[in-house]
Amino acid sequence: METTAIRSRTKIRHLARPRRSEREPGRGGGGGGGSRPMRRERRLYSLLGFLLLLAVVYLNWFPGRDPAAPGGGLKLPVPWLQPRMAFAGRNGTHFVDAATGSPLYVNGWNSYWLLSSRSPALVAEMLRRGRRMGLGVCRTWAFSDGGPDALQISPGRFSEAVFQVLDYVIYEARRNNIRLILCLVNNLDNFGGKAQYVKWAQAAGANLTNSTDSFFYHPTIKGYYKDYVKAMLTRKNSYSGITYCDEPAIFAWELMNEPRCVSNSSGPHLQAWIAEMAAYVKSLDNNHLVTVGIEGFYGPGIAERLGFNPGDWAASLCCDFLQNSAVEHIDFASVHAYPDSWLPKARMEEKVRYLSSWVDSHLNDSENILKKPVLFSEVGYLQHANANTTVDRDILLRVVYDKIYDSARKLQAGGGALIWQLMVKGTHMYHDNFSLVARDHPSTYKLIKEHSCRLQMLHKKEGDPGWQCTIPP
């Protein structure tokens, strides 16, 4: 036993001895002198990891911090730090979540002014308000051509400061789980439009008349537009580090807002322009959907459809819903609806009947002829006190919502609707007769939110993890 005890004590003393590298840190090939620096490095990495975690939490829990505010201009353009989001895709006649393949039906809105406002605070507030109503898509302008504070100062020359505003719009949309439809040029003269492109070409020596129809066929102008599209799609976001063509917060590219021609004979030029530009966008960006931006008027080619137009004038604008939307690289059809403007003298009952017929016709044609989704991308009605009562206003919106819901319930082509347009306080300079601050119209606010809820629950869609339906089914 004594021998055993001696051996045990010897073993303990042997185990307790420090190793040579620990006793003599300066000696030996490897030595132990690196142990303290290694510990310091591990602590440093732990600290950096903790700080990075705080940054991620901050970015995701405090969306909408105004980069123009003191201390708020910090940018972390690291793609993998951005919230997870899937691209929107298309499967036959309906939109899908590209990651899961599940149907995607849209309740959304227009706020054309996000870029023009130059105010990150207003942008963030509008996107937060949309999210609170369960809205998932916002359509807005991604253009401002010529004139003061333009995005595109002259062909191919851009304002970096204004481009960074658009960067922020996209960045903030993603943090609010909102996807954007970005329109690339205006048919109207507002914010430059196609008229500005014609002026640029004339100033460069192109032999053109003053007709803006040349926008659709003159090689110089088409080159300007393609250069703009390329600059837009290949832009690297200064806030997220993500190239626009790789950004899932972009729902779709819209070629033009409400394309029309001056002369009805220019219809073939418009049709060829749509085909060429849609193919060009797809050659640069195969991640995103593409749409035209038309209003949905039927052309003279199919006489039986003309009765759905709001008047004879609608068939003389060169656009044709079926022909324009059937182009190969156009992923979904677009339709606008303005019963108050189109039928200014009609009674409310007539407007409701007309709107119902207008929506049905485009849903049926999209399902059975185009075999593509259709998005009612502008649904507007007069908001001033003498035009419609609250009840009337809700009736017009409800007509569209109910038909979209019925189409979604059947997994058919009614892809969704976007109200025109939502505002926040401080954006009065961008108001038109169809604008509203949703919370100032409680019944409309409730209707919008109810529609978001029922679309979310329809196919057991999880929806925005930061927004849950609070209205009982």
Side-chain angles (χ1 to χ4, degrees), residues 272-303:
W273 182 87
I274 292 169
E276 181 179 352
M277 298 310 167
Y280 183 70
V281 171
K282 288 291 189 179
S283 74
L284 298 174
D285 177 3
N286 208 32
N287 288 324
H288 290 108
L289 303 170
V290 177
T291 192
V292 182
I294 55 174
E295 297 157 272
F297 301 133
Y298 291 99
I302 305 179

Side-chain angles (χ1 to χ4, degrees), residues 345-462:
K345 298 179 180 179
R347 299 189 311 275
M348 180 53 62
E349 294 80 3
E350 295 173 290
K351 291 177 184 178
V352 168
R353 280 198 302 272
Y354 173 75
L355 181 60
S356 180
S357 172
W358 176 254
V359 174
D360 283 342
S361 174
H362 289 84
L363 288 174
N364 291 334
D365 285 343
S366 297
E367 178 71 25
N368 300 312
I369 297 177
L370 295 174
K371 302 188 185 304
K372 297 179 180 183
V374 58
L375 184 67
F376 290 81
S377 51
E378 291 187 23
V379 179
Y381 32 86
L382 294 173
Q383 296 296 325
H384 57 78
N386 295 329
N388 297 313
T389 66
T390 300
V391 174
D392 288 339
R393 179 170 57 242
D394 290 346
I395 285 173
L396 291 171
L397 186 56
R398 191 178 293 278
V399 165
V400 179
Y401 279 176
D402 285 350
K403 291 185 177 296
I404 291 296
Y405 177 74
D406 187 57
S407 183
R409 187 173 53 81
K410 299 173 184 175
L411 279 175
Q412 292 184 345
L418 313 178
I419 188 173
W420 181 281
Q421 69 163 333
L422 297 185
M423 318 293 288
V424 292
K425 299 297 184 186
T427 58
H428 57 277
M429 66 288 291
Y430 307 112
H431 273 244
D432 58 23
N433 291 331
F434 305 94
S435 303
L436 72 150
V437 177
R439 70 178 184 182
D440 292 344
H441 300 268
S443 65
T444 308
Y445 181 93
K446 183 173 182 286
L447 177 60
I448 293 171
K449 194 169 180 180
E450 284 176 345
H451 187 56
S452 296
C453 284
R454 62 179 180 170
L455 285 179
Q456 185 186 80
M457 294 185 293
L458 185 60
H459 299 294
K460 296 184 172 63
K461 177 176 172 285
E462 292 183 6

Side-chain angles (χ1 to χ4, degrees), residues 210-267:
N210 288 326
S211 171
T212 55
D213 287 2
S214 56
F215 177 90
F216 298 115
Y217 61 80
H218 196 278
T220 298
I221 299 175
K222 290 197 294 182
Y224 291 161
Y225 180 83
K226 286 183 175 180
D227 290 344
Y228 183 76
V229 168
K230 185 175 183 179
M232 183 67 59
L233 273 58
T234 59
R235 165 78 177 181
K236 188 174 183 179
N237 193 309
S238 61
Y239 285 87
S240 68
I242 300 174
T243 306
Y244 283 15
C245 62
D246 296 322
E247 175 54 76
I250 297 172
F251 183 90
W253 300 108
E254 185 176 273
L255 299 181
M256 175 180 273
N257 174 50
E258 298 185 341
R260 296 181 177 186
C261 302
V262 176
S263 169
N264 200 32
S265 63
S266 296

Side-chain angles (χ1 to χ4, degrees), residues 45-57:
Y45 287 138
S46 297
L47 178 61
L48 288 174
F50 179 70
L51 292 174
L52 188 59
L53 179 62
L54 285 179
V56 172
V57 171

Side-chain angles (χ1 to χ4, degrees), residues 47-290:
L47 178 61
L48 288 174
F50 179 70
L51 292 174
L52 188 59
L53 179 62
L54 285 179
V56 172
V57 171
Y58 174 82
L59 288 170
N60 286 279
W61 280 61
F62 298 98
R65 179 158 172 78
D66 187 348
L74 177 66
K75 296 179 182 178
L76 278 172
V78 182
W80 57 268
L81 281 179
Q82 310 313 311
R84 293 183 63 183
M85 194 178 219
F87 286 96
R90 170 195 156 201
N91 182 9
T93 61
H94 52 271
F95 299 124
V96 294
D97 181 305
T100 64
S102 59
L104 183 65
Y105 287 92
V106 172
N107 194 22
W109 84 101
N110 287 267
S111 287
Y112 81 82
W113 48 269
L114 298 181
L115 175 63
S116 306
S117 72
R118 309 288 193 270
S119 170
L122 293 176
V123 168
E125 180 65 13
M126 185 68 258
L127 292 168
R128 280 198 302 267
R129 295 272 185 91
R131 185 184 195 184
R132 287 172 192 159
M133 290 183 279
L135 301 176
V137 173
C138 175
R139 177 172 173 263
T140 193
W141 295 170
F143 60 80
S144 176
D145 302 309
D149 301 321
L151 172 58
Q152 186 173 209
I153 301 165
S154 58
R157 182 168 162 252
F158 301 91
S159 164
E160 176 60 22
V162 179
F163 234 139
Q164 288 191 24
V165 176
L166 186 57
D167 289 346
Y168 182 76
V169 171
I170 297 169
Y171 169 74
E172 191 67 19
R174 183 163 178 173
R175 291 202 289 169
N176 282 281
N177 207 57
I178 301 293
R179 294 186 179 96
L180 301 169
I181 296 176
L182 296 179
C183 184
L184 296 168
V185 73
N186 205 356
N187 176 72
L188 305 173
D189 294 350
N190 306 71
F191 305 100
K194 63 183 183 181
Q196 181 62 67
Y197 279 79
V198 173
K199 291 175 185 175
W200 281 333
Q202 288 173 328
N207 184 18
L208 294 169
T209 67
N210 288 326
S211 171
T212 55
D213 287 2
S214 56
F215 177 90
F216 298 115
Y217 61 80
H218 196 278
T220 298
I221 299 175
K222 290 197 294 182
Y224 291 161
Y225 180 83
K226 286 183 175 180
D227 290 344
Y228 183 76
V229 168
K230 185 175 183 179
M232 183 67 59
L233 273 58
T234 59
R235 165 78 177 181
K236 188 174 183 179
N237 193 309
S238 61
Y239 285 87
S240 68
I242 300 174
T243 306
Y244 283 15
C245 62
D246 296 322
E247 175 54 76
I250 297 172
F251 183 90
W253 300 108
E254 185 176 273
L255 299 181
M256 175 180 273
N257 174 50
E258 298 185 341
R260 296 181 177 186
C261 302
V262 176
S263 169
N264 200 32
S265 63
S266 296
H269 294 305
L270 172 58
Q271 181 69 11
W273 182 87
I274 292 169
E276 181 179 352
M277 298 310 167
Y280 183 70
V281 171
K282 288 291 189 179
S283 74
L284 298 174
D285 177 3
N286 208 32
N287 288 324
H288 290 108
L289 303 170
V290 177

